[in-house]
Amino acid sequence: MLHWERGTVVELRAGWAGVTRLLVRLEDTDQTVKALAYPELTGSPGMGESVLLNTNALRRDLGTGGEALVVARPEVQQEPQQIDGHMVKARYTPMQTMVDAIDDPASEHYETLRSADGLDGMPVVVADLHSSLPAVVAGIRADAPAARIAYVHTDAAALPAAYSATAAALRAEGLLEATISAGQSFGGDLEAVTVHSALLGARHVVGADVAVVIQGPGNLGTGTGWGFSGVQAAEAVHAAHVLGGTPIAALRVSSADPRERHRGLSHHSATMFGRATLAPLLLPVLHTDDPQYSEFHASVAEQVESTIMGVGRERGVEHRNIALRSEGLRSALDVLPVKLSTMGRGLDEDPEAFLYAALAGRCAAGLTTQR
């Protein structure tokens, strides 16, 4: 059931591209709540304006959904935006929106997508946690500073691509060439109907050297073996493979997570890159000669061997273990224009979480310099 509440905008807060943030006083109370509006859907509410809010996640104290969402502006009559195509996202929900997709017949990029038949070996880094995105970008930039990077935002978590302040900041700083929202997600620089089309768009429309495919913020997990939204990453691996790209796994690793199933190599990585993946992967791990190498990293390598590479061999799928050094990655992470945080832990609290994502970026950068 939906939880609707009405209120009045009493403060305009700092937002970012594609997001307006507000403070709203709820009707018939003195309580104020933080709220978020997507101008693409509702326009931007002003001071004193009446708004209708969805407060489902807010009222349940969910970590990612810590703000109310503006559903409607009852006192404002908006002019519909002119859309040439017929593509609908968030389909058959009350907030479904029309977009211009690159694979829509009305798109200027339609003929490019019709004729595109492969990725020309383009490296495609795949991860399950959105917090990996800046670390992957840092790893790419450390070795290939001029690389053009496209971020494919999938629909496993936050559907609005604009919800990611991280992607917006990376885009504003020129560290990402474009965000492509795929599937039911929307609001990127470009829209695509599928991850396959998004990858082809990354290569042939954006001219990307590397694509990074990750769900948006708000990973949903249940503690069960298969009940987590990041398992969709396996399908991104398959899409990259069948299109002639080079899939690279950004392994989810932690030495600080209080949950045993996520310490070392997370069971999520073991599931999606091991049990769920039927195509060959590159698996970047820390080189044994690296000054940071320790029993922890040796344990991660053993987990990768047993839960991903071993499972692949049983199915006739030959994954490749890529041993890389970490030199220069910490400084590349330190100078990012965004705060690094995963499950509430920063770079100093859980450095391995960001190191392995950066190693995936370094692996991708090595492939771009060879082409």
Side-chain angles (χ1 to χ4, degrees), residues 241-291:
H241 174 70
V242 300
L243 291 173
T246 305
I248 301 168
L251 300 170
R252 180 175 173 181
V253 172
S254 174
S255 63
D257 200 301
R259 299 163 295 179
E260 184 178 352
R261 65 184 182 274
H262 290 304
R263 282 199 298 274
L265 181 73
S266 169
H267 81 106
H268 283 180
S269 278
T271 298
M272 65 191 181
F273 294 135
R275 299 173 68 192
T277 295
L278 301 174
L281 272 167
L282 300 185
L283 300 163
V285 295
L286 192 63
H287 200 288
T288 56
D289 290 343
D290 194 274

Side-chain angles (χ1 to χ4, degrees), residues 42-65:
T42 65
S44 296
M47 282 289 293
E49 187 175 327
S50 175
V51 291
L52 178 65
L53 304 175
N54 179 328
T55 56
N56 268 9
L58 176 67
R59 294 306 185 194
R60 297 190 185 191
D61 295 321
L62 298 183
T64 301

Side-chain angles (χ1 to χ4, degrees), residues 60 90 143 202-203 216 243 249 270 280 317 326 343:
R60 297 190 185 191
D143 292 358
R203 181 63 181 150
L243 291 173
V317 179
S326 65
M343 300 295 169

Side-chain angles (χ1 to χ4, degrees), residues 298-336:
S299 175
V300 169
E302 291 172 2
Q303 289 176 292
V304 170
E305 168 59 37
S306 62
T307 65
I308 300 178
M309 299 185 71
V311 170
R313 280 193 294 271
E314 291 174 3
R315 297 169 170 172
V317 179
E318 288 293 333
H319 302 307
R320 288 177 54 201
N321 186 321
I322 306 297
L324 298 168
R325 292 176 176 81
S326 65
E327 181 181 0
L329 292 182
R330 176 62 191 232
S331 58
L333 292 167
D334 282 333
V335 299
L336 282 168

